[in-house]
Every structure is written in structure tokens, then in C-alpha cells.
């Protein structure tokens, strides 16, 4: 959807998931490390949570697909315009396709935690594929647009392909907190960058548009992207700190600290 | 072979192999996981199967090479046309070369399962090389053609290089069901895409050809490629489900379930 | 900063860190291997050293950022020039951003060695990100400049992305001496190349400038880059040799050699 | 050296090393696997061999550098022509630089097997760097030449960067026979391709030169490159078979087979 809302909607989805991941993974990591008794550390609790996450993901994808298809100027499931002899609303169809793969990823998330027959790491492989498809479609999406428009979308690809590679590595290094936080930070970056794209290409306040051909604007946008990532890293760090403080003080209050070994510095492997 | 059949033939080969892999690997994975007594789980049975697979692969490659060489407008093993002072039927020769490497891969499949001297993982390395060579030749193959023609072939490279990297990783992670299913899904994608290329570039029903320069067509084809992959993933998933259901009900019928531990949810590593 | 000092300053930072690493890592490696009793081999000593390194890194980054902002012709924290209706001093802002990420990396170095809650490998991930951001900004930095100017900066990217990949691998292979020395050598290369860029683009001695469009100059510069790396490898080798000789002779002098097994040839794994 | 000999010389070096590796690694692999008593299987024997290999490599590099510098139309160590105010014989200097890094790699080979202080895997890292530098220089080497000339050199880069990545992986998977044979096959490919380049660009028999702008020639050369690789794989396979047959029959003759377990089929991991 070539307007502000069409970028704000997926941006919010990504932000929500990124923020959730930046809370979930540190919580699980710290619970396990300190042998805390918490909901996330138990396997059945964790599994239930993952299933809910999968349902939410699939629901978001369904909302996105429906929105793309049935907005007033959408294709309404019509792919080919026989009168004009050309494809109809290809942009919306491409966006629907992106949502479709995230939907599949959500369904796979649910399946792997319900059926023991399916290998667990399948969810990470499917996530890597879904993210890759998003990047793949974006890459060919911007063909023939203006310089700044192309540039803001191409910058997005760095986060997209980074997250895809990270997810793929998680197949082999499942449960590696660093890869998980890396994915969370890139997800937040994607989310905030979608909002930024909306503000740059379709200023909602009715301001004058950005000069699409200015070399200066392009230089600024590149730098701005890095600032978004610094901001995203900061959020992940703050969430990690909050979770860590919360778990530590919680266990102190309940006097559980005496029952298990306290937070201690592990000797580095190196 | 620049016609419909020349794309349908390799497409069928790839489809057949992809479908077979999407049955073989889940069967082996589930047999092993549940300690089923099945043909695929025994080493000698599995080895015999792999040898047959290698023979079929080599036979297909031989058929492909022969077809490319001895079709009426083929080179008939003549490489250089001395009268016209130029290379003869280079397209056919390039296709023959692609088949050649798949043939070598088939022969290596046979050898590693016959001779204990040769390291087992050699089959995956050779497969990775064969797939890479296919992509490498395709990359230079399309030089100087029309936009849509180039685009449909370049899209293929995503599946090709993906499968090549996946096979290379299997050298180090042999027997990883995820890499095997990933390879199977990309193989099916390749197969169905070859058919799609045939339909786009050489419509068999005598319909009007596609506009090779239309930006709209290019956008549609990119999206269509993703749909093929979604379709391919669906097939792999269905095959997995069928195999899983078949093994489970089979063991129930024969009352074997009481002799070994039933399908149970393994706790996640993470 | 588009002058000689603006390249000499970061060059010196990188040289200093590269040289320090080429001493620190061999020392730690050899101490551990020979079970030497040395400051670096003890965990608390090593941790203290890492914290100091993090502080120095963060301090350097702060110096760099301050210098970029408050040089006479700098932006003085002003981002947008409302009179001229354009972005102000984007070059300096981009350099500040690069320093910012190294600053974050320094802070993370400190945190992971102070707090046991944070996973240790986070420092390598953050370093990989900081180096990647440097390369990413450089890549878009040179847009629209002269051929030789672009070339000397693009060459730098080989070292930058090499170091970034190396650091990323260290997440999984922490303490691998080869990756550490590889990183050190690339860091020295970056440092000496920054000096070289300064000499090529802004000759300090007031000599005539280099011809920016000469193909010959470009060929020479490419080769010169390789010589810098050969030189960098030599320095790492010499430092390794000095550290090795120092530790060996030191232990001999103190008569410690009798207490632990001497340097011995380990049988190769292969 | 822009003539036939200048390509035949390095080609012969690479061929020699590739052939030697395709004998050495299978011999070592099979000796170890079958617990043969052979010179290569003993650590001291293997180490001595590696040292000799390093010396030969360094000697070849020295010969190459000397030849590049002191051929009649060479630079004779003169880098800058002050009269013409330009760089002197840059081609020869670039080739010397390539040889230099292989020389360093040879010296490192010697050092790691003499001194126990240096980590063993350093030889593979240095080899990966030397091969990468060769590719890096080649990449910028061909700037501004004719189409076919560029193409034959660019094709070489596939083998070069493949070998470089393979060697880098050997740091982590040392002694993996597949990576070693992969490297050997790419080395033979490089060697035979250097000869091919010589024949294409400087036909020694005084034949008419190839048409440098023909699209047909380019297509043929790409395919020809694949044939060279098929040929290279064949040689590696034959050498493996000969070594395998030799070791087996040798042990039979000496009646050693009764003392150790015979060649037996290991069950596949998958």
C-alpha cells in the first residue's frame, strides 16, 4: 500500500515482535542460567508460549493479507485485469505474498510445538525463508522508482538479510542467546525503519515532501539508518537490564536465592 | 534446447527427484527417531536404495546428454563448424555439460556406497559442485537475451545456489533432516520453475507470447516464483505428514507400538 | 574530516589497537598452552585488562566524536541548516556515527566483564556490528567522488568486512588464536591504510597531488594495499616471536621450567 | 608477463602442487583409516614432508618473483620511472606481489612444523590469505582490457575464491579429507586454466589469435572451464583409486592384512 498506513502497519508488527523477543529471550536465558523457577524455564510453559506466539504471528499475517486485498483501492483477489490486459494491483499482491510467508512461518511455529514428529528447528528454517522472501521481493520491488525511494528500501535489505542469515544459523546453534538478541534487534530496526520510510515518502503531517534526488538526503538517510540501529540496540539492552533486575530482585524477595547458587561470574572459555 | 520440451524434460527430472527426497528423508528420519523396524532404517537397505538413486541419476543425465546431442537440430557431437568458422550449437553443448556434472554426481553416489575406501560425504560435495556448475553456466548463459528471458533464468539461480550451499553444509551436518528437506523443497521449486519457464517463453498452446519487455510481467514473474516455492513447501509438508501418519498407523496395526517407545515430545535443546 | 589529520587520527587508533592485540593474544595463548603463571593467564587479571581495554576504546571513540563535532569547521552538534535548507556537515556526522558504534562496543566490553548476567560473547557480536557499520557507512560515503578517492576507500572495505566476519565467527569460536591474530592483522592494515589515504589524498608535505584519474595510480594503489598487509603480517609475526621468546626465557630465568612441562610439539589433529 | 611462458610457469607450479596434494591427502587418509604402518601416517614423517613442501613452495615463489623482476623486459626492482613520471612495469610488480604471498605461505608452512609455539592451523589461514590476495589482485588486474581477456581471468576467480574459502574452513575442520581434495581439485583447475589462458591469449604455434569480442567465444570458454574442472575431478579420482589400490595390494603382499582390520564399510552417520 503506497501510503503512510501501509508502512506503519507492518512497522508496528515488526516492532511488537522485536520488543517481545527482546524480553522473552533474556528472561529464558537468565532463568536457565540461574536455575530460576519461572514459567519460561519450564518446558511445557515455554512450549505454550511459543504456540501463542505462532498464533499471533499467523493472525497478524492474515490481517496484513486481508488489508492488502480488501482496502478500497486493492485488488479484491483479482489478479488479472482482462479489460486493460495487464496484471492488477501487483504491489498489493506482492505485499500479500510477503505476509503469506510470515503466515506459513507462524503455522510452522505452532506445528513444531504440537507434533513431536516434526523437527523442532523447522521453525527457524521457515523463519529464515520467510525473511529471505521478504528481502527477495523488496529487491525487485523498487525497480524503476526514484533514487531516495530505492535507497530507503535497499537499506532495509541489510536488516532483512542479516536477520535471515541469523535465523538460518539458529538451526545449528539453537538457543544461542546472542543470535536471538541479534534477531530481536534487527526486527526492531525493521519496524522502526518502516515507520521512517512512511515519514520520508508519505509525510503524514502534510509537510512538503523530501527531495527524492538530493545526494545530501541520501547521505543523511544512510546515517539515520545507523542511528535507528543504535536506538534498537539500546532498547534491547534496556529490556535485558530490566528483566535481569526483575528476576534478581524477585528471587531475593521470595528468599529463593538461598536455595540455588547466586549470579556468579563464569570463567571465560577462551 | 530452446523449446518447450527442452525445459519440460529437466523440469520433470528435478520434480521427480525433489518428490522422492521429500518422501525418503522424512521416512528415514521418523524411522530412526522412533526406532521403527523399517527397510530404510537398516544400513544395508538404505545403502542399496542410495545406489539405485545414483544409478537413476546417472541414467537421467545420460538421457539428457543424448537428447541434447542427437535431437534433429543438435550438434551430433560436432563442436566446431569449420565451414562457418564458429562454434556449433553452443547452447546444446552447455546443456550437455550441465547434465555431465549431474552424471558424475550420480556415479559418485554409487561409488561411495560400494567402496568403503571413499569418504561417504563425497556424494554431497559432488552434488554441491554439480548444482553450482549448473548455476555458473546459467549465469553466463543468458548473456544478450531479452529482459524477461534473463529474469526467469536469474530467478532460478536463487534456488540453484541455495541448494548448492545447502548440499555443501551437509558435508559437515550429514543427516540433518532440515538441510535435506530444504534441498528437497528447492529441487521441487527448480523442477516446477523449469515448467513455468517453458510456459512463459515457449507457450505450447500456441497462445500469444508474453511481452518480454513489460515491467509488469517482470514484477508478476518474481511474485510467481515465490508462489511456486510456497507450493513446493506445501508438497514437502504434505509428504512429511503422509509418511508420518503411515508409519504411525502401520506400527499400530502390527502392534509394534508396545515394543518400543511411542512418539513423544522431546524437550527442546534451547 | 577531509584533511590529513582526519585520517591520521583514526589510523593511529587502529594501529594502537592492532599492535596491542598482536601482543595480548599471543601472550595469553602461550601462557595457557604452557601453563605459565602470568598475569594474563589468571581470569581476574585478564578480566581487569579487558575492562581497561574497553575504557580506552570508549575514550578514543569519545575523543573522535568530539573532534569531529567541535573542530573549527565542524557542525557543533547542529544537524540541519535552516537558512540554507540542507543538512549540515554530513561528513562529520557520518564519522561521528562510526565512532559512536565503536564507543558502544567499548561500553559493551566493560559491561560483559563486570556483570555476570550478560553473555560474554556479546563483546564480539558488538565489535562485529561496529566494524560492519563502519564499512556500511564507508560504502555509501564515497558516492560521487573521483576514481582514485573511491578506490582507496573501497579497498579499505576488504579489511573492514574481513574483520567483521572474523569477529562474528569469534562468537562461536571464542579464544581461537587464529581468528584473534587475523583480526589484529586486519586492524593494523586498517590503521596503516588510513595513513596511506591521508598521504595520497592530502599530501602533508605540500607535494603535488596524485593524479586521481590515472589508471596506473589505481593499479599501484591496489598492489600497495597488499604490501601494507604483508607488512602488517610481518609485525604480527615479530610480536608473536618476541612474546614467545620473552615468555620462554623468562620462565628459564626463574627456573620455572622444571615445574611444568616444557614447550613440546603437539601432534597434529589431521 | 604478458606472454605464453608467463602463464605456463605459474600454471605448472599449480598443476604440480595440485597433483601432489591429490596423492598426499588420500594416502594419509587411507593410512590412518586402515591403521597402516606407512611413512605418512607417522607424525614425524608427515611433519618432515610438510616442511619439504613448504620449502618447495617458498622456492617456487622465489623463482617466480625473480623471473618477473629480471626478465629482459622486466622492472629489475625499479618501481618508479622518474623520467616518464609514471610507475614502471606494474604488471610484473603485481605478479611479484602474488608470488610474495605464496612465499610467505611457504615460510609459515615451515615455521608451524618446526616451532611448537606457533598454532598449527596458521598454515591454512596463511594459505587462504595468499590465495585470496591472488584473486584480489586479479580482480583489479584486468581493468580496461578486452572482453575475452577479462572473461578468462574472471573465470579463474571462481577457482581462486573457492580454494580460499575451502582453506579458511580447514582452520576449523583440519584434516577433513573432502576439503583437502576440494582444494587439490581447484588447484589442478587453476594450473590447467593458466595453460588454457596462455593458449587463448598468446597462441604459441603462431596461429591466428582468438576473436576477443566474439560472444560465441565467450560462451565456449565458459563451458571449457567446466570441462577443465571435470578433467581435474577425474585426475583426483584416478589418483585416489591408484593410492587406494597400491596401499591395499601392498599390505596384502606383506601379509600385514592379518594384523589389522581390513577395509570395511563404515555405517553412515546419517
Amino acid at each position: 500500500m503506497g501510503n503512510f498506513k501501509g508502512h506503519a502497519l507492518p512497522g508496528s508488527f515488526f516492532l511488537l515482535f522485536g520488543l517481545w523477543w527482546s524480553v522473552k529471550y533474556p528472561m529464558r536465558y537468565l532463568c536457565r542460567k540461574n536455575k530460576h523457577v519461572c514459567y519460561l524455564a519450564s518446558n511445557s510453559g515455554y512450549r505454550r508460549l511459543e504456540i501463542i506466539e505462532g498464533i499471533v504471528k499467523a493472525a497478524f499475517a492474515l490481517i496484513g493479507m486481508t488489508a492488502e486485498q480488501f482496502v478500497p483501492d486493492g485488488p479484491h483477489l483479482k489478479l488479472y485485469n482482462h479489460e486493460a490486459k495487464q496484471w492488477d494491483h501487483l504491489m498489493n499482491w506482492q505485499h500479500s505474498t510477503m505476509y503469506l510467508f510470515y503466515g506459513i512461518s507462524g503455522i510452522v511455529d505452532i506445528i513444531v510445538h504440537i507434533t513431536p514428529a516434526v523437527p523442532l528447528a523447522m521453525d527457524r528454517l521457515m523463519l529464515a525463508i520467510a525473511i529471505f522472501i521478504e528481502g527477495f521481493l523488496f529487491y525487485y520491488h523498487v525497480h524503476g522508482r526514484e533514487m531516495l525511494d530505492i535507497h530507503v528500501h535497499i537499506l532495509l535489505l541489510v536488516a532483512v538479510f542479516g536477520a535471515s542469515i541469523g535465523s538460518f544459523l539458529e538451526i545449528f546453534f539453537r538457543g544461542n542467546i546472542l543470535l536471538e538478541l541479534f534477531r530481536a534487534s534487527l526486527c526492531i530496526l525493521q519496524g522502526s525503519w518502516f515507520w521512517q520510510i512512511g515519514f520520508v515518502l508519505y509525510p503524514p503531517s502534510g509537510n512538503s515532501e523530501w527531495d527524492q534526488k538530493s545526494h545530501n538526503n541520501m547521505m543523511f538517510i544512510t546515517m539515520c539508518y545507523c542511528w535507528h540501529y543504535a536506538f534498537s540496540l539500546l532498547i534491547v539492552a534496556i529490556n535485558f537490564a530490566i528483566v535481569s533486575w526483575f528476576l534478581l530482585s524477585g528471587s531475593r524477595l521470595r528468599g529463593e536465592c538461598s536455595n540455588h547458587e547466586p549470579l556468579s561470574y563464569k570463567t571465560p572459555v577462551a
Side-chain angles (χ1 to χ4, degrees), chain A residues 27-46 246-248 250-252 254-261:
Chain A
M27 204 179 288
R28 186 158 170 82
Y29 172 72
L30 290 167
C31 281
R32 297 221 146 185
K33 198 180 172 187
N34 302 301
K35 294 173 191 123
H36 263 290
V37 183
C38 80
Y39 188 69
L40 268 168
S42 76
N43 276 322
S44 63
Y46 189 68
F246 183 81
L247 284 177
L248 201 67
S251 61
R252 268 206 205 102
R254 279 173 284 145
E256 285 175 338
C257 244
S258 51
N259 299 334
H260 63 268
E261 48 169 338

Short mmCIF file of all heavy atoms in Angstrom, two decimals, chain A residues 27-46 246-248 250-252 254-261:
data_model
loop_
_atom_site.label_atom_id
_atom_site.label_comp_id
_atom_site.label_asym_id
_atom_site.label_seq_id
_atom_site.Cartn_x
_atom_site.Cartn_y
_atom_site.Cartn_z
N MET A 27 14.76 -13.32 29.37
CA MET A 27 14.10 -13.95 30.51
C MET A 27 14.44 -15.44 30.56
O MET A 27 14.89 -15.96 31.58
CB MET A 27 12.59 -13.75 30.39
CG MET A 27 11.88 -13.84 31.72
SD MET A 27 10.10 -13.57 31.57
CE MET A 27 10.04 -11.82 31.23
N ARG A 28 14.28 -16.10 29.41
CA ARG A 28 14.57 -17.53 29.34
C ARG A 28 16.05 -17.81 29.64
O ARG A 28 16.37 -18.74 30.39
CB ARG A 28 14.21 -18.05 27.95
CG ARG A 28 14.35 -19.56 27.83
CD ARG A 28 13.51 -20.09 26.70
NE ARG A 28 13.81 -21.47 26.43
CZ ARG A 28 13.30 -22.49 27.10
NH1 ARG A 28 12.46 -22.28 28.07
NH2 ARG A 28 13.63 -23.73 26.79
N TYR A 29 16.93 -16.99 29.06
CA TYR A 29 18.37 -17.17 29.25
C TYR A 29 18.74 -17.06 30.73
O TYR A 29 19.46 -17.91 31.27
CB TYR A 29 19.12 -16.12 28.42
CG TYR A 29 20.59 -16.06 28.67
CD1 TYR A 29 21.44 -17.06 28.22
CD2 TYR A 29 21.15 -14.99 29.38
CE1 TYR A 29 22.80 -17.00 28.45
CE2 TYR A 29 22.50 -14.92 29.61
CZ TYR A 29 23.33 -15.92 29.15
OH TYR A 29 24.67 -15.85 29.38
N LEU A 30 18.21 -16.02 31.38
CA LEU A 30 18.59 -15.78 32.77
C LEU A 30 17.95 -16.79 33.71
O LEU A 30 18.58 -17.23 34.68
CB LEU A 30 18.20 -14.35 33.17
CG LEU A 30 19.04 -13.27 32.47
CD1 LEU A 30 18.42 -11.90 32.65
CD2 LEU A 30 20.46 -13.28 33.02
N CYS A 31 16.71 -17.19 33.41
CA CYS A 31 16.06 -18.23 34.22
C CYS A 31 16.88 -19.51 34.20
O CYS A 31 17.17 -20.10 35.23
CB CYS A 31 14.66 -18.54 33.66
SG CYS A 31 13.43 -17.33 34.16
N ARG A 32 17.28 -19.91 32.99
CA ARG A 32 18.03 -21.15 32.84
C ARG A 32 19.39 -21.07 33.52
O ARG A 32 19.83 -21.99 34.18
CB ARG A 32 18.29 -21.43 31.36
CG ARG A 32 17.03 -21.64 30.57
CD ARG A 32 17.22 -22.77 29.60
NE ARG A 32 15.96 -23.46 29.47
CZ ARG A 32 15.80 -24.56 28.78
NH1 ARG A 32 16.83 -25.09 28.15
NH2 ARG A 32 14.64 -25.15 28.70
N LYS A 33 20.04 -19.92 33.31
CA LYS A 33 21.40 -19.76 33.82
C LYS A 33 21.41 -19.86 35.35
O LYS A 33 22.31 -20.43 35.94
CB LYS A 33 21.94 -18.41 33.37
CG LYS A 33 23.44 -18.28 33.44
CD LYS A 33 23.87 -16.90 32.96
CE LYS A 33 25.34 -16.69 33.20
NZ LYS A 33 25.73 -15.32 32.90
N ASN A 34 20.42 -19.23 35.97
CA ASN A 34 20.41 -19.18 37.43
C ASN A 34 19.47 -20.22 38.02
O ASN A 34 19.14 -20.15 39.18
CB ASN A 34 20.00 -17.78 37.88
CG ASN A 34 20.96 -16.75 37.32
OD1 ASN A 34 22.14 -16.80 37.58
ND2 ASN A 34 20.42 -15.86 36.51
N LYS A 35 19.05 -21.15 37.20
CA LYS A 35 18.15 -22.21 37.66
C LYS A 35 16.95 -21.67 38.41
O LYS A 35 16.54 -22.19 39.44
CB LYS A 35 18.91 -23.22 38.52
CG LYS A 35 19.94 -23.97 37.68
CD LYS A 35 20.82 -24.84 38.55
CE LYS A 35 22.00 -25.37 37.73
NZ LYS A 35 23.29 -25.03 38.30
N HIS A 36 16.45 -20.54 37.93
CA HIS A 36 15.26 -19.95 38.49
C HIS A 36 14.06 -20.86 38.22
O HIS A 36 14.00 -21.53 37.19
CB HIS A 36 14.95 -18.61 37.81
CG HIS A 36 15.46 -17.46 38.58
ND1 HIS A 36 14.92 -17.05 39.76
CD2 HIS A 36 16.47 -16.60 38.31
CE1 HIS A 36 15.57 -16.00 40.20
NE2 HIS A 36 16.54 -15.70 39.34
N VAL A 37 13.10 -20.80 39.12
CA VAL A 37 11.84 -21.47 38.85
C VAL A 37 10.92 -20.42 38.26
O VAL A 37 10.37 -19.58 38.96
CB VAL A 37 11.23 -22.05 40.13
CG1 VAL A 37 9.94 -22.79 39.79
CG2 VAL A 37 12.22 -22.93 40.83
N CYS A 38 10.82 -20.39 36.95
CA CYS A 38 9.90 -19.43 36.36
C CYS A 38 9.16 -20.09 35.20
O CYS A 38 9.57 -21.12 34.69
CB CYS A 38 10.59 -18.13 35.95
SG CYS A 38 11.45 -18.21 34.42
N TYR A 39 8.08 -19.47 34.85
CA TYR A 39 7.19 -20.05 33.86
C TYR A 39 7.93 -20.39 32.57
O TYR A 39 7.76 -21.45 31.99
CB TYR A 39 6.06 -19.06 33.58
CG TYR A 39 4.97 -19.62 32.71
CD1 TYR A 39 4.11 -20.60 33.20
CD2 TYR A 39 4.80 -19.16 31.42
CE1 TYR A 39 3.12 -21.12 32.40
CE2 TYR A 39 3.81 -19.67 30.61
CZ TYR A 39 2.96 -20.66 31.11
OH TYR A 39 1.97 -21.17 30.31
N LEU A 40 8.81 -19.45 32.15
CA LEU A 40 9.51 -19.63 30.88
C LEU A 40 10.51 -20.76 30.91
O LEU A 40 10.89 -21.31 29.88
CB LEU A 40 10.24 -18.34 30.50
CG LEU A 40 9.46 -17.37 29.63
CD1 LEU A 40 10.17 -16.05 29.59
CD2 LEU A 40 9.33 -17.95 28.24
N ALA A 41 11.01 -21.07 32.12
CA ALA A 41 12.06 -22.09 32.20
C ALA A 41 11.49 -23.50 32.10
O ALA A 41 12.18 -24.42 31.70
CB ALA A 41 12.83 -21.93 33.51
N SER A 42 10.21 -23.65 32.45
CA SER A 42 9.62 -24.98 32.32
C SER A 42 9.28 -25.24 30.87
O SER A 42 8.85 -24.34 30.14
CB SER A 42 8.35 -25.08 33.18
OG SER A 42 7.30 -24.39 32.54
N ASN A 43 9.49 -26.48 30.44
CA ASN A 43 9.31 -26.78 29.02
C ASN A 43 7.88 -26.63 28.55
O ASN A 43 7.62 -26.10 27.48
CB ASN A 43 9.81 -28.19 28.72
CG ASN A 43 11.29 -28.20 28.49
OD1 ASN A 43 11.81 -27.27 27.88
ND2 ASN A 43 11.98 -29.19 29.00
N SER A 44 6.93 -27.08 29.39
CA SER A 44 5.54 -27.01 28.95
C SER A 44 5.09 -25.55 28.86
O SER A 44 4.39 -25.16 27.94
CB SER A 44 4.66 -27.80 29.92
OG SER A 44 4.72 -27.21 31.20
N GLY A 45 5.54 -24.73 29.83
CA GLY A 45 5.18 -23.31 29.79
C GLY A 45 5.75 -22.64 28.57
O GLY A 45 5.07 -21.90 27.85
N TYR A 46 7.02 -22.93 28.29
CA TYR A 46 7.69 -22.33 27.14
C TYR A 46 7.01 -22.73 25.84
O TYR A 46 6.81 -21.90 24.95
CB TYR A 46 9.15 -22.77 27.13
CG TYR A 46 9.98 -22.04 26.11
CD1 TYR A 46 10.26 -20.69 26.26
CD2 TYR A 46 10.51 -22.70 25.01
CE1 TYR A 46 11.03 -20.01 25.34
CE2 TYR A 46 11.28 -22.04 24.08
CZ TYR A 46 11.54 -20.70 24.26
OH TYR A 46 12.30 -20.04 23.33
N PHE A 246 14.66 -7.51 37.44
CA PHE A 246 13.39 -8.03 37.90
C PHE A 246 13.54 -9.45 38.46
O PHE A 246 13.06 -9.77 39.55
CB PHE A 246 12.42 -8.03 36.72
CG PHE A 246 11.04 -8.47 37.06
CD1 PHE A 246 10.13 -7.58 37.64
CD2 PHE A 246 10.61 -9.76 36.80
CE1 PHE A 246 8.85 -7.99 37.96
CE2 PHE A 246 9.33 -10.17 37.11
CZ PHE A 246 8.45 -9.29 37.70
N LEU A 247 14.27 -10.28 37.71
CA LEU A 247 14.44 -11.67 38.15
C LEU A 247 15.27 -11.75 39.42
O LEU A 247 14.98 -12.53 40.32
CB LEU A 247 15.12 -12.49 37.05
CG LEU A 247 14.25 -12.88 35.87
CD1 LEU A 247 15.08 -13.62 34.85
CD2 LEU A 247 13.09 -13.75 36.33
N LEU A 248 16.31 -10.91 39.50
CA LEU A 248 17.20 -10.92 40.65
C LEU A 248 16.45 -10.45 41.90
O LEU A 248 16.49 -11.11 42.94
CB LEU A 248 18.40 -10.00 40.37
CG LEU A 248 19.62 -10.28 41.23
CD1 LEU A 248 20.21 -11.63 40.87
CD2 LEU A 248 20.65 -9.18 41.03
N GLY A 250 13.24 -10.28 42.32
CA GLY A 250 12.14 -11.20 42.59
C GLY A 250 12.60 -12.39 43.41
O GLY A 250 11.97 -12.76 44.41
N SER A 251 13.73 -12.96 43.02
CA SER A 251 14.21 -14.14 43.74
C SER A 251 14.69 -13.74 45.13
O SER A 251 14.58 -14.51 46.08
CB SER A 251 15.34 -14.83 42.96
OG SER A 251 16.42 -13.93 42.81
N ARG A 252 15.19 -12.53 45.29
CA ARG A 252 15.62 -12.07 46.61
C ARG A 252 14.42 -11.94 47.54
O ARG A 252 14.44 -12.37 48.67
CB ARG A 252 16.32 -10.71 46.49
CG ARG A 252 17.82 -10.84 46.33
CD ARG A 252 18.56 -9.63 46.84
NE ARG A 252 19.84 -9.54 46.13
CZ ARG A 252 20.07 -8.72 45.15
NH1 ARG A 252 19.14 -7.89 44.72
NH2 ARG A 252 21.24 -8.72 44.55
N ARG A 254 11.55 -13.37 47.37
CA ARG A 254 10.96 -14.64 47.75
C ARG A 254 11.94 -15.54 48.52
O ARG A 254 11.65 -16.68 48.81
CB ARG A 254 10.44 -15.37 46.51
CG ARG A 254 9.07 -14.86 46.07
CD ARG A 254 8.66 -15.47 44.75
NE ARG A 254 9.39 -14.83 43.65
CZ ARG A 254 9.80 -15.48 42.57
NH1 ARG A 254 9.59 -16.76 42.46
NH2 ARG A 254 10.42 -14.84 41.61
N GLY A 255 13.14 -14.98 48.75
CA GLY A 255 14.11 -15.74 49.54
C GLY A 255 14.57 -17.02 48.86
O GLY A 255 14.98 -17.97 49.51
N GLU A 256 14.47 -17.01 47.55
CA GLU A 256 14.87 -18.22 46.84
C GLU A 256 16.37 -18.29 46.63
O GLU A 256 16.89 -19.34 46.29
CB GLU A 256 14.16 -18.29 45.48
CG GLU A 256 12.70 -18.65 45.61
CD GLU A 256 12.04 -18.59 44.25
OE1 GLU A 256 12.57 -17.90 43.36
OE2 GLU A 256 11.00 -19.22 44.09
N CYS A 257 16.98 -17.15 46.78
CA CYS A 257 18.40 -17.08 46.46
C CYS A 257 19.21 -18.07 47.28
O CYS A 257 20.23 -18.57 46.84
CB CYS A 257 18.93 -15.66 46.70
SG CYS A 257 19.50 -14.90 45.18
N SER A 258 18.75 -18.33 48.46
CA SER A 258 19.50 -19.25 49.32
C SER A 258 19.42 -20.69 48.81
O SER A 258 20.28 -21.50 49.10
CB SER A 258 18.94 -19.19 50.75
OG SER A 258 17.53 -19.37 50.70
N ASN A 259 18.40 -20.96 48.02
CA ASN A 259 18.24 -22.33 47.56
C ASN A 259 19.09 -22.69 46.34
O ASN A 259 19.30 -23.83 46.05
CB ASN A 259 16.77 -22.62 47.21
CG ASN A 259 15.90 -22.43 48.43
OD1 ASN A 259 16.38 -22.58 49.55
ND2 ASN A 259 14.65 -22.07 48.21
N HIS A 260 19.50 -21.71 45.63
CA HIS A 260 20.30 -22.02 44.45
C HIS A 260 21.49 -21.07 44.37
O HIS A 260 21.51 -20.02 44.99
CB HIS A 260 19.46 -21.93 43.17
CG HIS A 260 18.94 -20.56 42.92
ND1 HIS A 260 17.70 -20.15 43.37
CD2 HIS A 260 19.48 -19.51 42.29
CE1 HIS A 260 17.51 -18.90 43.01
NE2 HIS A 260 18.58 -18.49 42.36
N GLU A 261 22.44 -21.45 43.58
CA GLU A 261 23.66 -20.64 43.51
C GLU A 261 23.34 -19.25 42.94
O GLU A 261 22.62 -19.11 41.97
CB GLU A 261 24.73 -21.33 42.67
CG GLU A 261 24.23 -21.86 41.35
CD GLU A 261 25.37 -22.29 40.45
OE1 GLU A 261 26.49 -21.83 40.66
OE2 GLU A 261 25.11 -23.07 39.52
#
